[in-house]
Structure formats: structure tokens, C-alpha cells
């Protein structure tokens, strides 16, 4: 077993990175994979509450780096999936508590007996972002169909290419099919055309995401949730399976075809 | 009243505005710099061949993740010759 290290990043804050990490990790665990999540947002710890593990934290990633505990001691086991772990961020204000080489060392220690290491990057393009991508084998960029989020995503894609991290894959989150149909929201096609990278999934705007985060239970565990289905599909694609895109995108394609037929586009 | 129907839907504006912003973000070239690049290019080319400065078109174009600087520079002598 040698883990694939996947970093989830975005440039802009609040687009759904932490939501994506919690859901993808849970979906991979549901598929029987061994997963370790790392919260890379030092000073703004969040992944623990989204995963419902906040009461179990004893040590964090900075304790590991500074030698106050062993790596294993900072790995919090999930309540429902015994093969899923979280390494929480520290709530320290010291921005330099973690370095890129620390992240590479921790990931290398995890690689031999894990299938996936998933890193939740902070927003921005500063130190925390650099730390988060240092060990990545693959990067997923999350964006929303909005001008500012797409612009920031493009900056991040440019930096990843300049750093020779390869071209990342795109998760388009919070798409509202009704707005897209009314031509009041950028479609998946539009965003792909603008960013020029590979699409790994489209996640609809979905209330169940908020309900799930209130409960500390990621929506992938809810079989009826549309967003949950979208994240389960992305997790399958990460594992190398070809999964057809959901109806919400097909609807757009049909609508575009209809518009072309009726000369509206 | 009619304006409401004719108004461009917002997704289209978003896409057009992003197309422009991204091309400048990616190249680190402001519209003003592009303008002075154009002026210098016209001066340089005019030293060798006669061109119509008004007809010169220079712009940045996107092609997937790569950008190209595209210049369309009609030559004066040639077009006159063809027309005649
Ligand atoms: N698909 C979605 N539908 C509805 N709300 C969402 C969706 N994805 C994320 N959210 C909400 O958006 C907010 C920001 O998400 P979060 O994952 O914390 O973003 P980030 O980690 O990028 O800052 C949260 O309140 C989250 O519940
Ligand atoms: Mg976050």
C-alpha cells in the first residue's frame, strides 16, 4: 500500500474546500479505503467540527512536528469508519509552525499503510497553501460558478503549473441548475472553458450540506442528498472508475442543444 | 420595458468579463502596457515596411491554458496593389 496524497485548494475562501475534504474522505472510507485527512488550515481549525470529531482531539499536527507526540497519537479515528483518521490543525497563531518539508515528512510517514491522504488547504496563496501542496501527488481545485471564485481558481492553477505540480482537476461546487438554466449563473461548460483544466465533478447547491455540517456528519452518508451523490461520484473517479456525470449537467447540455435549435444561442 | 427583455443575461456578462480578466492576470500585462507595446511595435515595423498604424490590431488570445499575442498588421503597399 502506498498512499496517494491529494490536496484540496481554491484560492478564494468559503467555496467548499473543507466540505469537499470531509465528504471525499468519508466516501473513500465507505468504499473500504484507508484514509487520513490533514487539516492544513493552521490557526483556523475546522475540519474536526465538519467531521464531528472535535471532542476527541488531544494532539494536533504542530505537536507532531515539535515532537510532543508520535504521529499515531495525533491521528483521530473516525466514529463510524475505523479506517478513517483526522490529523487536526493547531490553533496557534504562529504562521511558521509548519513548513513544506514537515508536510512532506508526515505524508511520507503515512504513505506505507494508507490508501489516501487528503489535505485541506487554507484559502490564499501564502505559506499555508504552500505547505498544503508540498507533498501533493494530485491537486483538486474547488471553485464556485462566480466571477471572483473563478478568477482566484485561475491564479492557483497558474501557480501549480509554475511549480510543476501538474494541471489540477476541478470541482465545481454550489452550482444552481435553475440559475444556470435562466442564464444567470456560469455553467460547468463556461467555467471549464475559462479555466482550461479537467473536470472531476460538479456539486449542486444543496441545503443538506449545511444540515450535515450542523450534525458533524458529511452528506455523503445521506443516500438521498444530491450533493452527497456528487461527492460519492468524485470519490469513485479519484479511485480511477469512470462514472457518468449527473443529470444536473446533462440537463444543461440538453438545454444548450435546445437553445441552439431555437436559435437562442 | 423593452430594455428588460433585451438586457444581456448575467452569465454572459460574467463570462465575457472573466475572459478579459484572466488573460491579463495570466500574462501580467495591463491594457496600458499592451497599448505601449503596440506603439513600439508599429514604430519598429515602420522602419522596414510601410504599414497603416490605424489598421494594426494586437490582442491577447486564450487557447486552453496558454495565451498568445496575436497581431494583425496589414501592409499598405500590398493592399493598394491588389485593389488596383
Ligand atoms: N454544495 C453546497 N451546498 C450548500 N452549501 C455549501 C455547499 N458547499 C459548501 N457549502 C457551505 O459553504 C460554506 C463554506 O464551505 P467550506 O467547506 O467551509 O469552505 P472553505 O473550506 O473553502 O472555506 C459552509 O457553510 C458550507 O456549509
Ligand atoms: Mg476550510
Amino acid at each position: 500500500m502506498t498512499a496517494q496524497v491529494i490536496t484540496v485548494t481554491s484560492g478564494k475562501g468559503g467555496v467548499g474546500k473543507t466540505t469537499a475534504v470531509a465528504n471525499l474522505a468519508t466516501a473513500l472510507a465507505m468504499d473500504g479505503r484507508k484514509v487520513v485527512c490533514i487539516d492544513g488550515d493552521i490557526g483556523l481549525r475546522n475540519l474536526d467540527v465538519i467531521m464531528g470529531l472535535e471532542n476527541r482531539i488531544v494532539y494536533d499536527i504542530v505537536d507532531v512536528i515539535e515532537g510532543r507526540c508520535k504521529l499515531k497519537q495525533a491521528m483521530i479515528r473516525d466514529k463510524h469508519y475505523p479506517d478513517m483518521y483526522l490529523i487536526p490543525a493547531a490553533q496557534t497563531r504562529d504562521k511558521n509552525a509548519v513548513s513544506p518539508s514537515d508536510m512532506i515528512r508526515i505524508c511520507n510517514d503515512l504513505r506505507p499503510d494508507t490508501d489516501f491522504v487528503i489535505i485541506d488547504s487554507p484559502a490564499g496563496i501564502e505559506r499555508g497553501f504552500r505547505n498544503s501542496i508540498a507533498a501533493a501527488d494530485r491537486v483538486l481545485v474547488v471553485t464556485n460558478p462566480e466571477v471572483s471564485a473563478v478568477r482566484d481558481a485561475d491564479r492557483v492553477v497558474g501557480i501549480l503549473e509554475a511549480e510543476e505540480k501538474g494541471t489540477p482537476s476541478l470541482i465545481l461546487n454550489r452550482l444552481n441548475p435553475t440559475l444556470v438554466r435562466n442564464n444567470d449563473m456560469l455553467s460547468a461548460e463556461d467555467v471549464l472553458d475559462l479555466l482550461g483544466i479537467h473536470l472531476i465533478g460538479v456539486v449542486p447547491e444543496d441545503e443538506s450540506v449545511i444540515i450535515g455540517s450542523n450534525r458533524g456528519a458529511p452528506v455523503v452518508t445521506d443516500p438521498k442528498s444530491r450533493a452527497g451523490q456528487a461527492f460519492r461520484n468524485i470519490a469513485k473517479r479519484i479511485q480511477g472508475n469512470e462514472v457518468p456525470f449527473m443529470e444536473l449537467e446533462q440537463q444543461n447540455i440538453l438545454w444548450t442543444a435546445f437553445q441552439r435549435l431555437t436559435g437562442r444561442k | 420595458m423593452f430594455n428588460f427583455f433585451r438586457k444581456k443575461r448575467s452569465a454572459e456578462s460574467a463570462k465575457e468579463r472573466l475572459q478579459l480578466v484572466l488573460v491579463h492576470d495570466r500574462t501580467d500585462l495591463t491594457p496600458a502596457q499592451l497599448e505601449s507595446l503596440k506603439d513600439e511595435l508599429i514604430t519598429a515595423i515602420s522602419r522596414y515596411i510601410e504599414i497603416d498604424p490605424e489598421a494594426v490590431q494586437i490582442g491577447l488570445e486564450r487557447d486552453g491554458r496558454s495565451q498568445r499575442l496575436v497581431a494583425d498588421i496589414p501592409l499598405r503597399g500590398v493592399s493598394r496593389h491588389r485593389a488596383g
Side-chain angles (χ1 to χ4, degrees):
Chain A
M1 200 154 27
T2 175
Q4 190 182 20
V5 178
I6 301 175
T7 299
V8 178
T9 190
S10 68
K12 189 174 188 290
V15 297
K17 293 176 293 295
T18 302
T19 304
V21 169
N23 279 287
L24 294 178
T26 307
L28 289 166
M30 287 163 75
D31 286 341
R33 303 296 180 148
K34 191 166 178 193
V35 188
V36 179
C37 306
I38 302 180
D39 189 344
D41 206 345
I42 305 296
L44 291 170
R45 178 196 283 170
N46 258 333
L47 191 53
D48 56 335
V49 283
I50 300 302
M51 297 179 76
L53 297 173
E54 68 276 14
N55 291 331
R56 301 188 171 201
I57 297 178
V58 182
Y59 296 109
D60 59 50
I61 192 163
V62 173
D63 293 322
V64 177
I65 291 164
E66 295 180 352
R68 282 186 292 274
C69 72
K70 297 226 174 68
L71 181 55
K72 279 255 172 340
Q73 292 175 285
M75 290 167 56
I76 303 163
R77 190 190 287 264
D78 187 70
K79 285 183 273 190
H80 307 287
Y81 300 95
D83 272 344
M84 176 160 80
Y85 296 84
L86 166 70
I87 301 178
Q91 287 292 48
T92 166
R93 264 168 290 175
D94 178 9
K95 285 274 159 207
N96 296 323
V98 182
S99 73
S101 58
D102 292 328
M103 290 300 284
I104 292 171
R105 212 184 57 241
I106 289 173
C107 288
N108 283 343
D109 288 347
L110 291 170
R111 274 180 212 271
D113 35 33
T114 307
D115 292 311
F116 293 96
V117 176
I118 306 195
I119 302 173
D120 185 12
S121 158
I125 50 176
E126 312 290 320
R127 175 95 179 201
F129 160 75
R130 303 268 165 194
N131 287 338
S132 297
I133 62 166
D137 299 312
R138 173 169 203 184
V139 180
L140 306 180
V141 170
V142 182
T143 196
N144 300 152
E146 287 173 40
V147 284
S148 52
V150 171
R151 183 188 198 177
D152 290 357
D154 191 71
R155 291 290 291 158
V156 165
V157 174
I159 293 169
L160 291 166
E161 285 181 335
E163 306 262 305
E164 301 191 339
K165 280 277 156 200
T167 305
S169 306
L170 182 73
I171 297 178
L172 182 57
N173 187 29
R174 306 194 77 157
L175 186 107
N176 180 327
T178 310
L179 281 181
V180 173
R181 228 172 290 134
N182 292 334
N183 283 317
D184 274 324
M185 180 175 268
L186 291 165
S187 67
E189 279 174 325
D190 290 337
V191 177
L192 277 187
D193 178 50
L194 286 161
L195 294 179
I197 62 175
H198 162 254
L199 179 72
I200 194 163
V202 180
V203 182
E205 173 77 27
D206 186 346
E207 292 172 358
S208 65
V209 172
I210 294 155
I211 297 168
S213 65
N214 287 342
R215 298 207 169 107
V219 290
V220 285
T221 56
D222 174 357
K224 289 193 294 283
S225 160
R226 302 275 291 158
Q229 179 66 51
F231 281 123
R232 286 194 296 275
N233 288 351
I234 297 171
K236 295 271 187 241
R237 294 182 191 121
I238 287 173
Q239 295 170 84
N241 303 328
E242 274 193 33
V243 184
F245 279 85
M246 285 168 65
E247 207 180 301
L248 104 166
E249 295 137 281
Q250 275 160 12
Q251 258 174 13
N252 297 342
I253 292 162
L254 282 179
W255 182 248
T256 311
F258 170 73
Q259 283 181 311
R260 283 198 185 117
L261 272 178
T262 54
R264 286 188 51 187
K265 200 170 180 180
Chain B
M1 187 58 196
F2 273 142
N3 264 347
F4 172 79
F5 291 106
R6 251 185 271 131
K7 207 167 113 191
K8 201 191 287 177
R9 296 319 291 254
S10 70
E12 212 175 314
S13 313
K15 192 167 183 191
E16 285 171 10
R17 291 170 58 227
L18 271 167
Q19 275 167 340
L20 264 175
V21 167
L22 294 194
V23 106
H24 287 291
D25 279 358
R26 287 178 187 179
T27 48
D28 239 338
L29 202 63
T30 63
Q33 285 173 316
L34 191 62
E35 207 44 44
S36 75
L37 184 152
K38 182 174 162 181
D39 291 343
E40 287 185 44
L41 201 62
I42 290 173
T43 314
I45 293 172
S46 301
R47 278 204 291 270
Y48 298 89
I49 194 161
E50 203 184 331
I51 58 173
D52 177 5
E54 298 295 306
V56 173
Q57 287 197 12
I58 292 182
L60 292 162
E61 282 181 12
R62 278 178 329 125
D63 180 12
R65 284 217 53 85
S66 49
Q67 270 60 237
R68 62 188 66 200
L69 184 66
V70 178
D72 183 6
I73 308 169
L75 304 182
R76 219 168 224 162
V78 177
S79 62
R80 210 182 278 152
H81 184 78
R82 274 206 192 132

